[in-house]
Amino acid sequence: DGKYDDYGFMKWIGENLKYPKGYETVEAKVVIGFVIRKDGTMGDFKVLSAPKERAFTDAVLTMLKKCPRWKPARLANGKVVSLRYAVPILFKRY
């Protein structure tokens, strides 16, 4: 079985998101859509909104392509299905 669910995924993003070089003081938000396939892998990435600085989108896509497998979605009857997600990824200085 896969490793990630919603909570685990958000924690993983927090641990793995890297600011693009040269933009470390800029706050930005990239909203990305993707599919968690039946085997728990991610794919079919779609940028739903992003700043004009392409470096932020590139940073998000690079990170997501390294994500470990998810626990695949299951219907109430137990059937495993693919599921589309959309997630806002924030670049924020604290």
Side-chain angles (χ1 to χ4, degrees):
D1 244 359
K3 181 174 184 180
Y4 287 109
D5 53 19
D6 293 343
Y7 172 76
F9 178 60
M10 296 313 286
K11 186 172 186 274
W12 182 85
I13 288 174
E15 294 167 353
N16 290 276
L17 185 63
K18 304 281 187 267
Y19 254 90
K21 204 164 197 57
Y23 293 96
E24 292 85 359
T25 61
V26 178
E27 293 194 357
K29 177 168 86 171
V30 175
V31 180
I32 192 95
F34 54 90
V35 171
I36 302 300
R37 298 181 187 114
K38 292 178 185 181
D39 67 358
T41 59
M42 297 175 85
D44 193 20
F45 298 102
K46 290 194 181 0
V47 178
L48 304 177
S49 80
K52 66 182 188 299
E53 297 88 355
R54 174 83 187 163
F56 288 104
T57 300
D58 291 344
V60 168
L61 289 171
T62 297
M63 175 191 65
L64 291 179
K65 288 176 181 173
K66 297 175 184 171
C67 186
R69 288 178 188 251
W70 280 54
K71 293 176 186 164
R74 290 183 186 275
L75 298 177
N77 67 4
K79 181 180 178 190
V80 175
V81 295
S82 294
L83 186 65
R84 177 162 287 287
Y85 277 83
V87 181
I89 312 258
L90 304 176
F91 292 86
K92 191 169 178 72
R93 284 291 174 225
Y94 295 99

